[in-house]
Amino acid sequence: MTSSMGTINLEFFDRLDDLIKSQSEDVKSIEQVAIELGTPIVSIGVLDSGETTTKIFGTAQAYSNSEPTETHKTFDKDTLFQACSISKPITALAVIKLCQEGTLDLDTSISHYLSTEQLSWISTPKTLPLVSKITLRLLLSHTAGLSCHGFPGYAKAPLPTQEQILRGDSPANNEPVTLSLFPGQTFSYSGGGFQVVQLILETKLQKPFHEIMQDLVLGPLGMKRSTYAFIPSTEKNYAPAHLTGGFKADPEFHLMPESAAAGLWTTPEDLLKVVLAVQRSLESSDILEAEWAKKMLTEVEDNGMALGWMTKKATRVFGHGGDNYPGYVCYVSGFTGVEDFGMKDGNGKNKTVMMGPKYCGVAVMTSSALGEPIRWRIVHAVAYLKGWPVLYTEPVLPFIDRKASVDERAREWCGIWGKGKWNLAFDGERLSLKCGSFSAVPLVPAAIPPFVYEEGKSVDLVADGLETMVRLGWKDGKRIVDLWQDNGVETLEMA
């Protein structure tokens, strides 16, 4: 386990360590807890007021079907992970930069950049008229109507060409990238769309994609441990992929010729350099001019997607996650620090209002196909311990905080909820949740930032030992219980 941080942040990571270890009432190391949650290696970066600190912990496990070639591989802040779909917003940053320079245009049809032959790779005679009118704005916001959600990568050669990937021809192992929906009318996530972006960049600039990204983004931002190229055999400092917390994949990673969509190798520290550059661009100018940074982070059609980044107008957070087969799961996000991109001053001119945590964010990278639970728990925990607003708004479960006391306000929600099915009770010593005739389960404080209602902050509690959280809050002035489980929310009213 290694870290890179100052004294203050050392104390923060000590608190995070204690929180993670407390998930088990038995005495276990942080590595043991992570493995039980499905991930043997976790790398974390925290951006706070423009300063990034990092920590990595874990141990590579044995191969699932053979003996390991090395048993004691060490990891540090420079250990590489596949960034998976976080490759997309970094690619989008390069596109926006080229648009800013006038080399590309967000709203020009892709037929301006690609030949008729290249367009035929993603179209039929019937769909060609529609495909020809697709724009970079539509591709970056996943509203182009193209198919192919993602790519599994390749264990070994032969690798497909861009034409073979887009057509879905052997040796490509993905479905063809085709037009399945009317362009511009709905959000439909498409890794295939980003392969079209890659083709446009390589065709326009006449260079390999990894060189384009090095010149436009990775080099200028000082991302020295990042590359869109295949890592060479001489590179030993990478986290091998795992199928579970206990079994390493064989091979240890897949090759990803679908570079723009999923091919970036990087570290949390380098990812947060991108976040910080975008944040600074919003305020003045950094890698982008402020106008272009705001365009990049403006949500398209209320669908949670901007240009490359996921964001919502009602939040001040931008981010992106991803997962690559056979075993990488990751997430990065940051606060915009701006209340509203469209606010006007007294003269009718646009103005930027700074608010919330400035130059703050988090990056979590894991080396397991089962990395999702610990990824979200750490993201919530960082915001919780830092006193920040929530960094991810979907209903994913947090860690529990055994050292915290249950908010006394929670007793005000005691009673029968949801047509008599749920019983929230206090027995004089502890609060518990009961469903039907099953035994009551103790409730423990959740390590997640509270939601702020007009009536006050929520009380968030996890059913100890289960994947269930209750958020005690209000709706239309009345108390409610939001039940979080199975990645969904059910709102319960008093019976």
Side-chain angles (χ1 to χ4, degrees), residues 7 14 41 46-47 69 79 81 84 117 147 188 200 225 228 237 245 250 254 281 289 422 435 439-440 452 466 468:
T7 303
D14 284 344
I41 309 164
V46 177
L47 175 66
T69 55
T79 297
F81 290 72
C84 315
E117 170 64 21
S147 64
S188 181
I200 290 171
R225 289 295 291 165
Y228 275 86
N237 191 8
D250 186 11
H254 276 191
S281 295
E289 296 171 3
W422 299 92
C435 180
S439 301
V452 181
L466 299 178
T468 299

Side-chain angles (χ1 to χ4, degrees), residues 207-263:
K207 288 197 294 187
F209 185 76
H210 69 273
E211 292 183 11
I212 294 171
M213 294 305 300
Q214 179 63 35
D215 293 344
L216 290 174
V217 178
L218 309 184
L221 293 185
M223 298 171 68
K224 296 180 180 179
R225 289 295 291 165
S226 299
T227 182
Y228 275 86
F230 299 145
I231 57 173
S233 58
T234 54
E235 176 61 72
K236 302 299 182 184
N237 191 8
Y238 65 87
H242 290 71
L243 304 177
T244 70
F247 289 105
K248 184 160 53 172
D250 186 11
E252 293 183 339
F253 58 86
H254 276 191
L255 302 171
M256 303 298 298
E258 305 87 0
S259 305

Side-chain angles (χ1 to χ4, degrees), residues 25-271:
E25 294 184 285
D26 301 327
V27 178
K28 294 181 180 179
S29 68
I30 190 172
E31 289 84 359
Q32 288 175 307
V33 174
I35 288 172
E36 290 180 1
L37 285 171
T39 304
I41 309 164
V42 181
S43 190
I44 307 166
V46 177
L47 175 66
D48 192 348
S49 301
E51 179 184 356
T52 297
T53 53
T54 62
K55 185 163 191 174
I56 187 168
F57 57 84
T59 305
Q61 303 298 297
Y63 289 114
S64 60
N65 59 358
S66 62
E67 291 298 318
T69 55
E70 58 181 339
T71 56
H72 297 290
K73 186 171 183 177
T74 59
F75 307 101
D76 57 31
K77 72 181 186 69
D78 292 327
T79 297
L80 295 175
F81 290 72
Q82 285 190 354
C84 315
S85 286
I86 298 175
S87 306
K88 294 180 178 71
I90 315 300
T91 294
L93 182 57
V95 173
I96 299 298
K97 190 174 181 182
L98 289 169
C99 290
Q100 175 181 285
E101 296 170 357
T103 303
L104 297 173
D105 183 82
L106 283 174
D107 298 309
T108 293
S109 300
I110 61 173
S111 57
H112 182 75
Y113 304 117
L114 300 177
S115 67
T116 303
E117 170 64 21
Q118 289 172 320
L119 290 172
S120 73
W121 302 349
I122 57 171
S123 66
T124 67
K126 289 184 178 180
T127 61
L128 179 59
L130 294 173
V131 168
S132 298
K133 297 298 183 181
I134 289 173
T135 64
L136 282 166
R137 186 186 300 275
L138 298 180
L139 291 171
L140 297 182
S141 60
H142 297 281
T143 56
L146 294 177
S147 64
C148 192
H149 183 94
F151 304 95
Y154 300 83
K156 60 182 179 180
L159 301 179
T161 64
Q162 285 300 310
E163 179 180 357
Q164 290 168 331
I165 291 171
L166 293 171
R167 288 187 182 276
D169 290 342
S170 180
N173 57 11
N174 57 274
E175 65 176 295
V177 179
T178 59
L179 188 69
S180 57
L181 304 171
F182 278 96
Q185 56 92 24
T186 191
F187 171 81
S188 181
Y189 191 92
S190 174
F194 267 78
Q195 282 316 107
V196 178
V197 173
Q198 180 174 334
L199 179 63
I200 290 171
L201 293 183
E202 290 180 329
T203 301
K204 181 68 176 179
L205 301 181
Q206 290 296 295
K207 288 197 294 187
F209 185 76
H210 69 273
E211 292 183 11
I212 294 171
M213 294 305 300
Q214 179 63 35
D215 293 344
L216 290 174
V217 178
L218 309 184
L221 293 185
M223 298 171 68
K224 296 180 180 179
R225 289 295 291 165
S226 299
T227 182
Y228 275 86
F230 299 145
I231 57 173
S233 58
T234 54
E235 176 61 72
K236 302 299 182 184
N237 191 8
Y238 65 87
H242 290 71
L243 304 177
T244 70
F247 289 105
K248 184 160 53 172
D250 186 11
E252 293 183 339
F253 58 86
H254 276 191
L255 302 171
M256 303 298 298
E258 305 87 0
S259 305
L264 176 64
W265 285 92
T266 189
T267 67
E269 182 176 40
D270 271 5
L271 286 178

Side-chain angles (χ1 to χ4, degrees), residues 418-487:
K419 299 179 181 180
K421 184 178 180 181
W422 299 92
N423 184 3
L424 189 66
F426 181 70
D427 63 5
E429 294 185 2
R430 67 182 187 181
L431 200 70
S432 64
L433 182 67
K434 184 178 180 181
C435 180
S437 61
F438 291 95
S439 301
V441 176
L443 293 173
V444 184
I448 185 175
F451 185 84
V452 181
Y453 299 88
E454 290 184 3
E455 295 85 351
K457 294 181 180 178
S458 65
V459 179
D460 301 315
L461 305 165
V462 174
D464 198 0
L466 299 178
E467 296 287 300
T468 299
M469 188 184 93
V470 293
R471 167 160 282 174
L472 311 182
W474 295 264
K475 182 179 180 181
D476 299 328
K478 298 180 180 180
R479 289 190 180 89
I480 59 168
V481 174
D482 276 344
L483 187 68
W484 289 26
Q485 52 186 0
D486 199 26
N487 293 322

Side-chain angles (χ1 to χ4, degrees), residues 96 278 281-284 288-299 306-307 311 338 340-343 350-353:
I96 299 298
V278 172
S281 295
L282 287 169
E283 185 178 6
S284 54
L288 297 176
E289 296 171 3
E291 175 188 358
W292 283 95
K294 292 170 186 177
K295 286 181 181 180
M296 188 180 193
L297 294 187
T298 298
E299 184 186 11
L307 301 182
T311 187
V338 245
D340 192 336
F341 299 156
M343 293 186 69
N350 290 327
K351 69 175 182 178
T352 298
V353 178

